[in-house]
Amino acid sequence: MAELREVQITEEKPLLPGQTPEVAKEAELAARILLDQGQTHSVETPYGSVTFTVYGTPKPKRPAILTYHDVGLNCKSCFQPLFQFGDMQEIIQNFVRVHVDAPGMQEGAPVFPLGYQYPSLDQLADMIPCILQYLNFSTIIGIGVGAGAYVLSRYALTHPDTVEGLVLINIDPNAKGWMDWAAHKLTGLTSSIPEMILGHLFSQEELSGNSELIQKYRNIITHAPNLDNIELYWNSYNNRRDLNFGRGSDITLKCPVMLVVGDQAPHEDAVVECNSKLDPTQTSFLKMADSGGQPQLTQPGKLTEAFKYFLQGMGYMASSCMTRLSRSRTASLTSAASIDGNRSRSRTLSQSSESGTLASGPPGHTMEVSC
Ligand code: BEZ
């Protein structure tokens, strides 16, 4: 029988002598705002130092939400729109958030000296235990995009007991084949590094549409003072090894996984293939309509709602801490999971912006989201 972990979100705290409930509430709010503003830390690892920003207060027996960004971005430019989205606050207030910057990607990062050996993606994954040890966290729920999704997957393969769940956006678990290399080299002859990275992040339609978002990110990447560092992360991404996922193989993700990709994203095929290689009882696949290459930037609302369901499927987010509307929408999913006696079922979610539905694979399991 599936076990749903009920989560207590209201804490009873004794009042200080002479303190009215209103004053206590204001003091708590002020403290929370201070802790929620984000503190940046650096730790030394065998592969150099790594910087990360922590929001929120630790909750006993709760995993931290740990994010890892894609090439050309940092934790802020990749995740701020998602984590500052209104409905997301209801979720993240229950978790500490650790936003990792890949080495040399944090704001104000000095440019690495010429000849600096940038860590491989596998080595970036090997830096994560140093962060968790520093913060005294034993488990995480990871959210990664592109290269960051690869790093978190590699970490989950080597430290399965410490990863409770993964949200992988635009993951490509395969090493580049010789055809990809040839195409990459050809593109490199005519395109600058920023243009190549933009082509990795966004669809061709988005790039030629040149919306405000594209102009913003083109500007950020083209004028990045640490562009040389970004090129090193880009090279590590292009030199990644195959993750070698295989159904029925030992090399697989053991935790619940939500794969996410935009329906016109450059990595759509890679994510579809990744879905076919992971354990279907542990994996949900969310293909998002009208979201382009970076769903966490363009569709934070849809992603927030899907993330809520994902956490609920893992037994976090008791329905008592969800909005009335979300509660009524998720009730059928929760009861279906209990009846099945299976915390994580195989689900393929396709999302249509017109119907506003998330349709789950097995018949009869339909989740609705507001799109
Ligand atoms: C967070 O609450 O986790 C967050 C807030 C602002 C920017 C990025 C993350």
Side-chain angles (χ1 to χ4, degrees):
M1 194 67 176
E3 177 205 338
L4 278 181
R5 272 174 272 179
E6 276 296 319
V7 169
Q8 189 72 37
I9 57 156
T10 48
E11 283 173 72
E12 292 285 334
K13 288 215 185 79
L15 293 179
L16 295 173
Q19 200 178 32
T20 64
E22 290 73 27
V23 171
K25 214 169 189 156
E26 267 176 35
E28 196 182 319
L29 188 66
R32 189 178 289 265
I33 288 170
L34 263 181
L35 285 162
D36 274 351
Q37 272 170 355
Q39 287 237 357
T40 299
H41 308 258
S42 286
V43 286
E44 282 307 319
T45 80
Y47 306 105
S49 81
V50 62
T51 301
F52 48 94
T53 307
V54 183
Y55 290 83
T57 37
K59 309 280 185 299
K61 296 191 192 148
R62 282 293 182 86
I65 293 176
L66 184 140
T67 68
Y68 217 109
H69 63 86
D70 203 353
V71 177
L73 307 174
N74 59 25
C75 71
K76 203 165 154 190
S77 56
C78 190
F79 290 108
Q80 185 159 298
L82 178 63
F83 280 82
Q84 286 191 334
F85 187 76
D87 289 353
M88 191 64 157
Q89 307 315 308
E90 187 184 4
I91 302 175
I92 60 177
Q93 68 182 356
N94 297 303
F95 297 89
V96 169
R97 288 87 66 194
V98 181
H99 302 288
V100 182
D101 277 312
M105 304 304 140
Q106 68 277 18
E107 275 178 1
V111 173
F112 289 121
L114 214 64
Y116 175 78
Q117 182 67 48
Y118 197 80
S120 66
L121 294 197
D122 292 3
Q123 290 170 334
L124 293 180
D126 285 342
M127 291 169 138
I128 294 176
C130 302
I131 300 174
L132 299 187
Q133 208 168 17
Y134 175 90
L135 293 170
N136 205 17
F137 277 115
S138 46
T139 62
I140 61 161
I141 293 170
I143 305 181
V145 184
Y150 180 105
V151 170
L152 292 180
S153 300
R154 175 66 75 196
Y155 173 73
L157 287 177
T158 50
H159 299 80
D161 296 342
T162 69
V163 183
E164 295 197 26
L166 282 177
V167 177
L168 303 174
I169 303 170
N170 297 339
I171 184 162
D172 186 343
N174 302 322
K176 270 187 187 299
W178 68 267
M179 288 274 279
D180 302 315
W181 268 115
H184 181 74
K185 289 283 170 216
L186 272 179
T187 316
L189 293 177
T190 51
S191 306
S192 62
I193 293 289
E195 282 307 318
M196 287 171 82
I197 293 173
L198 285 163
H200 158 79
L201 295 173
F202 297 102
S203 69
Q204 281 314 311
E205 290 75 16
E206 284 178 292
L207 290 173
S208 45
N210 205 23
S211 64
E212 258 181 46
L213 180 94
I214 297 296
Q215 289 174 38
K216 177 179 163 187
Y217 280 86
R218 181 173 272 132
N219 194 39
I220 289 177
I221 296 170
T222 311
H223 298 113
N226 61 340
L227 187 56
D228 290 349
N229 296 351
I230 295 175
E231 186 174 349
L232 296 176
Y233 187 21
W234 177 234
N235 292 341
S236 287
Y237 178 67
N238 288 313
N239 286 313
R240 67 192 179 278
R241 292 194 296 141
D242 210 302
L243 282 173
N244 275 322
F245 290 147
R247 257 190 201 169
S249 131
D250 273 355
I251 307 172
T252 194
L253 297 173
K254 306 252 165 37
C255 61
V257 177
M258 181 165 79
L259 296 174
V260 183
V261 71
D263 67 349
Q264 301 201 331
H267 306 283
E268 192 181 343
D269 293 347
V271 183
V272 169
E273 192 194 329
C274 180
N275 184 45
S276 73
K277 290 181 174 172
L278 291 176
D279 177 355
T281 66
Q282 292 281 52
T283 311
S284 301
F285 178 36
L286 176 60
K287 202 186 224 184
M288 291 177 71
D290 309 325
S291 70
Q294 299 293 308
Q296 81 288 0
L297 301 180
T298 53
Q299 300 282 5
K302 284 185 196 174
L303 200 52
T304 297
E305 191 138 23
F307 186 46
K308 230 183 221 181
Y309 293 137
F310 181 67
L311 288 177
Q312 207 180 29
M314 291 168 60
Y316 289 111
M317 296 298 295
S319 55
S320 60
C321 66
M322 301 178 73
T323 59
R324 191 190 52 74
L325 195 61
S326 307
R327 249 198 325 271
S328 66
R329 287 196 204 111
T330 51
S332 61
L333 174 69
T334 312
S335 56
S338 313
I339 292 163
D340 286 357
N342 191 347
R343 256 170 48 141
S344 312
R345 293 164 294 109
S346 163
R347 276 171 286 177
T348 299
L349 313 171
S350 62
Q351 193 169 44
S352 138
S353 58
E354 281 157 30
S355 66
T357 60
L358 275 168
S360 61
H365 296 144
T366 302
M367 295 185 280
E368 279 189 22
V369 294
S370 49
C371 300

